Amino acid sequence: MSKKVLATGAKGFIGRHVIQAVLKKPTVRLRVMYRDPDALERPDAEALRADLTDPASLRGVCEGVDAVVHCASLVEGDAQALHTVNDSGTRALVDDALRHGVRRFVYISTAAVYGRGPFRGAGPGTLVPAPVSATSCTRAAAERHVLAAGGTVLRPHLVYGTGDRWVVPGLAGLLRFLGAGVACPSVHSAVDAGALAEVAVAAALTERDVPPVLHVGHPRPVSSAALTGLVSGVLGLPGGELLPLRRARELTDGFPAARHHLEMLAVDHWFGGSRVWRELGCDPGPAPGTGIASHFAWYGPLLRGAAPAGAGAR
């Protein structure tokens, strides 16, 4: 028997990968939700217009749907805009899912809801959300709506791959800003966007019980040294002598975006992510170092114009 999945954020980085993951399932029908009415022409899916900033537009989007994969989040903007999209918008979408008896609701959140760290090998049952940025606070609020309705929350840390304009480009901008790498021994959870999408779709379609919160990262963490080495070497950016962390902090003082990427790099953000692959029978793919290098065709042209500032805080 076929199932129908509603995907939000279909034009975003992760949402595009989720669309592809759903379309690989021959017995699954796809409904995509767009804010932009000009994007509604899709021969491979049912498309409809709805906007998380307009709760009235969400009424009925979940009618006839078996599962929702909610990828849409606002990561930059003022506090009111973040609240409207991430908190209120998610609540309205969850309410519509409940009205129409949707069996599975999967929300792709972020491990940034835990705060700044350090975290090393931490499982989802051992940590309590303590978000610090406005973005993370509103995404944590979105999580609460999903969990209260019996849904599933996925918390990746670094998500890379084709379409990424934050993780690797942000690191590239930081290294260009500093003119060197940084000496720090930290490790990080990372996952290919395609593997994350496969997990999200598997969680939406499975008939098995799924834990309410899952970390999604490759079982093998990636070191800061490996990340900076990839960007400096494999992706063709300047290498050279490593700066002491204290000096790097001095240089980024007064430059919030560069400082944000530096602190993300400098502190352990390793979240235990082995369980999700076993629970849902998905392949985590190659280790992050190899995985990032495999996306050179995307990152190479992008990084030649990478700006030092990078993107905003999550």
Side-chain angles (χ1 to χ4, degrees):
M1 182 177 177
S2 66
K3 293 183 178 181
K4 179 177 282 189
V5 173
L6 168 68
T8 71
K11 293 182 70 177
F13 166 41
I14 295 172
R16 290 175 186 269
H17 288 273
V18 167
I19 295 301
Q20 293 305 310
V22 174
L23 292 175
K24 291 178 185 177
K25 310 289 185 182
T27 63
V28 178
R29 294 170 296 152
L30 174 63
R31 176 182 291 172
V32 289
M33 191 180 93
Y34 288 113
R35 181 178 59 182
D36 179 3
D38 296 331
L40 294 181
E41 296 298 327
R42 289 196 69 101
D44 52 7
E46 175 192 354
L48 52 81
R49 184 188 181 281
D51 191 337
L52 290 171
T53 66
D54 178 9
S57 73
L58 298 173
R59 293 190 67 88
V61 296
C62 294
E63 184 175 2
V65 164
D66 298 286
V68 174
V69 181
H70 182 28
C71 310
S73 292
L74 187 64
V75 297
E76 293 183 284
D78 60 38
Q80 183 57 53
L82 291 165
H83 169 79
T84 297
V85 173
N86 297 338
D87 185 350
S88 298
T90 298
R91 181 178 59 193
L93 183 62
V94 168
D95 286 346
D96 195 69
L98 290 173
R99 275 194 297 271
H100 291 95
V102 173
R103 294 183 61 250
R104 297 281 188 182
F105 194 111
V106 179
Y107 175 49
I108 300 180
S109 184
T110 170
V113 298
Y114 293 126
R116 301 299 188 201
F119 307 105
R120 197 173 180 93
T126 65
L127 297 173
V128 176
V132 293
S133 71
T135 300
S136 297
C137 286
T138 55
R139 295 185 78 177
E143 289 189 359
R144 290 193 290 272
H145 300 311
V146 173
L147 294 172
T152 301
V153 169
L154 305 181
R155 292 177 181 155
H157 175 45
L158 302 180
V159 183
Y160 65 85
T162 299
D164 166 33
R165 295 181 180 274
W166 189 87
V167 173
V168 173
L171 179 57
L174 173 65
L175 298 185
R176 283 184 171 166
F177 181 89
L178 296 173
V182 182
C184 52
S186 57
V187 292
H188 302 271
S189 291
V191 66
D192 186 286
L196 171 59
E198 294 287 348
V199 165
V201 173
L205 296 176
T206 185
E207 297 297 331
R208 299 173 55 188
D209 290 337
V210 179
V213 177
L214 287 165
H215 291 163
V216 188
H218 194 278
R220 185 182 304 171
V222 62
S223 68
S224 290
L227 285 171
T228 55
L230 278 167
V231 174
S232 298
V234 177
L235 300 180
L237 294 176
E241 184 178 352
L242 296 179
L243 291 174
L245 180 56
R246 183 174 65 179
R247 178 58 179 155
R249 284 175 169 149
E250 290 173 353
L251 291 172
T252 56
D253 189 30
F255 297 89
R259 185 60 171 268
H260 174 77
H261 285 288
L262 174 63
E263 294 304 328
M264 186 68 70
L265 180 71
V267 177
D268 286 328
H269 288 83
W270 174 22
F271 303 92
S274 297
R275 181 181 182 183
V276 66
W277 311 106
R278 297 192 305 270
E279 291 277 351
L280 295 170
C282 295
D283 182 1
T290 303
I292 292 172
S294 73
H295 291 282
F296 177 78
W298 164 258
Y299 286 125
L302 183 67
L303 295 190
R304 283 195 286 271
R314 295 184 301 164

